[in-house]
Amino acid sequence: MAFELPKLPYAYDALAPYMSAETLEYHHDKHHQAYVDNGNKLAAEAGMEGKSLEEICMASFGTNAGLFNNAGQHYNHLHFWNWMKPGGGGAMPGNLEAKVTEDLGSLDEFRNAFIQAGMTQFGSGWCWLALKDGKLEVMKTPNGENPLVHGATPLLGCDVWEHSYYIDYRNARPKYLEAWFDNLVNWDYVGELFEAAS
Ligand code: MN3
């Protein structure tokens, strides 16, 4: 199944002032498009164009870095656009909140751990809330890697590649992570992924 660039689920200027239209235009139209185009080319070269995106991620991890980087980033960004919404942040669904409290201590501890993971990911990558063996974990991964290839289900991920924040925050990655978590996260979508994975 060929990769396709989805439309953003909101207007380019809908996430301002926390993420500008200029950032979304470059990030979605240029960066994500490049992952789609390169991923399709490399999947065809590897004879994997008939496989699902998840299958391609798993099959190429550790064996075909070019294909994996592009397929992983396509997977990550498909979710990333939905992990944000205008007027996001705030309360998460009650069943997820209960699980966060049970597994990670408290909502504050989770928020701090998530932001810390994003701050300490050296270079490009992602920070995550993922479900592994029935337990929530905060994780970080380099480049296009994601929790899937570590046997976990991603529930929430924040892109800490510079292309995601440099126009709006310059080098202030912590400010971006705090603003993103507090004002952009679409907890309804995170809750849907949690229900599906539980
Ligand atoms: Mn990105």
Side-chain angles (χ1 to χ4, degrees), residues 27 31-32 35 73 77 80-81 126 159-161 163-164:
H27 198 173
H31 291 276
H32 192 173
Y35 301 134
Q73 284 289 73
H77 287 82
F80 185 63
W81 311 129
W126 293 74
D159 187 338
V160 298
W161 286 56
H163 65 224
S164 195

Side-chain angles (χ1 to χ4, degrees), residues 126-189:
W126 293 74
C127 57
W128 303 95
L129 175 69
L131 190 69
K132 185 172 186 181
D133 302 328
K135 265 195 98 161
L136 294 177
E137 281 184 31
V138 172
M139 304 172 65
K140 59 184 173 180
T141 58
N143 302 316
E145 245 179 74
N146 60 46
L148 279 184
V149 300
H150 300 288
T153 305
L155 303 181
L156 175 68
C158 185
D159 187 338
V160 298
W161 286 56
E162 287 184 347
H163 65 224
S164 195
Y165 63 87
Y166 221 83
I167 290 170
D168 300 319
Y169 300 88
R170 297 299 169 188
N171 61 326
R173 191 190 283 190
K175 279 209 172 74
Y176 157 68
L177 282 158
E178 288 169 6
W180 191 87
F181 192 98
D182 294 339
N183 302 286
L184 293 180
V185 173
N186 180 352
W187 288 111
D188 293 332
Y189 186 64

